[in-house]
Amino acid sequence: MSVLTKISEHVYWMAPGPPDRPSLCAVVGDRRTLMLDAGSSSVHTREFLDALWAESAARPSTVVYTHSHWDHVFGGAELDGQVIAHAWTAERLIELAAMDWSDEGLDRRIAAGLASPHHAANVKQELPSPRSVEVAPADVVFQDGLELHLGGATVSVRHVGGDHSADSSVMYIEPDRVLFLGDCLYDSPEGTLTAELAFPLHETILGFDAALYVEGHHEFVSSRAEIESLIGKMRFAENAVREGSAVSEQDEDTDLLLQAFRAGQSR
Ligand SMILES: [Zn+2]
């Protein structure tokens, strides 16, 4: 079981874990508590809510989503509160709710090339069969963004897009200066990164005056210097691919970024 860590005055963080569980946060204000992403299953969400209750006696009344990928939203019904989502995320939640999540349904989608075996294996491990998936629909839908005032803490939600998922949004928590990124900096499910989508996203991310950055599937909370270094590696990789220059003996991160930008170029 992951441990809950208080990373700033108002923000609690649960680290990502297997099979595909993302980072979850709660922002505890004087009046309201907001959850950032809901988790991969009711079990995952329950672990987070119980740990938060034990730690701070806070109970989130609302959750806001970074994007619609299953591992971030399948736990939403367990919260039994309001769901806030970007318009495209909200549309996708309706589609996810209508899909067949049984082993047979997953296997059919693999056979049709609509899902990867890796994705299906993660779903099967997180939600043992026979599984019933209840996908909570959005209650509040935004386009560009919105602000939530929790009492002593404010969360600004902003739609940012990017290669990973067009519906990606981030949450900036003040006065804590924490930026909750979800998966927005990652490559697409097909493994691609593009300058067209990644570069404007980098500008937006660096435009927040954040000190701490929580990424969807990174096992540590990052500093500004670490995010700047990651973005620097992305710029380097994109440039090397565009110029066709030979690069040797890079670190593992850069190798993966080179692959992703190469794949993005030849789409
Ligand atoms: Zn994702």
Side-chain angles (χ1 to χ4, degrees):
M1 194 210 265
S2 303
V3 189
L4 204 62
T5 310
K6 188 174 184 183
I7 60 170
S8 67
E9 189 185 350
H10 302 96
V11 182
Y12 292 82
W13 169 64
M14 185 177 264
D20 201 21
R21 291 182 172 184
S23 282
L24 302 177
C25 277
V27 187
V28 181
D30 302 333
R31 291 183 294 104
R32 302 272 180 210
T33 296
L34 175 71
M35 191 167 173
L36 310 181
D37 276 347
S40 306
S41 62
S42 54
V43 173
H44 183 204
T45 306
R46 181 48 52 197
E47 280 181 17
F48 179 86
L49 294 175
D50 288 351
L52 181 67
W53 181 258
E55 199 70 37
S56 71
R59 173 108 179 70
S61 51
T62 306
V63 60
V64 58
Y65 290 158
T66 54
H67 65 305
S68 61
H69 287 166
W70 75 276
D71 49 315
H72 300 252
V73 304
F74 272 13
E78 181 69 21
L79 182 72
D80 197 22
Q82 280 207 321
V83 172
I84 303 178
H86 184 265
W88 297 340
T89 307
E91 276 175 25
R92 186 66 186 149
L93 292 175
I94 305 288
E95 292 170 11
L96 290 174
M99 283 163 72
D100 177 2
W101 292 101
S102 67
D103 284 356
E104 297 71 31
L106 284 163
D107 294 342
R108 258 198 307 276
R109 286 204 287 283
I110 297 173
L114 299 170
S116 70
H118 180 68
H119 160 80
N122 284 340
V123 173
K124 287 177 183 177
Q125 193 185 334
E126 179 66 45
L127 297 129
S129 196
R131 78 183 57 79
S132 67
V133 174
E134 187 194 342
V135 183
D139 299 289
V140 177
V141 173
F142 65 89
Q143 297 289 341
D144 300 325
L146 83 169
E147 263 182 30
L148 294 145
H149 295 256
L150 308 175
T154 301
V155 179
S156 303
V157 184
R158 172 120 55 106
H159 175 238
V160 295
D163 288 290
H164 184 74
S165 190
D167 66 338
S168 281
S169 300
V170 298
M171 291 98 214
Y172 185 52
I173 300 113
E174 290 176 290
D176 300 44
R177 297 176 65 210
V178 174
L179 189 63
F180 188 78
L181 291 164
D183 297 353
C184 71
L185 285 172
Y186 301 148
D187 54 1
S188 72
E190 294 74 37
T192 62
L193 282 171
T194 63
E196 297 89 304
L197 295 177
F199 285 14
L201 174 65
H202 296 164
E203 294 308 316
T204 307
I205 298 300
L206 293 175
F208 290 96
D209 187 29
L212 295 175
Y213 299 76
V214 180
E215 285 193 81
H217 297 274
H218 195 59
E219 58 188 313
F220 302 105
V221 172
S222 302
S223 66
R224 179 149 187 119
E226 285 165 330
I227 288 294
E228 283 174 350
S229 156
L230 172 66
I231 289 177
K233 285 179 185 178
M234 288 174 134
R235 297 296 176 114
F236 171 83
E238 191 279 335
N239 189 63
V241 169
R242 185 160 32 85
E243 307 265 296
S245 50
V247 282
S248 56
E249 293 192 31
Q250 297 301 323
D251 57 284
E252 195 188 344
D253 284 357
T254 308
D255 285 344
L256 291 171
L257 292 168
L258 285 164
Q259 262 177 38
F261 278 110
R262 242 176 249 128
Q265 208 179 37
S266 59
R267 268 186 320 173

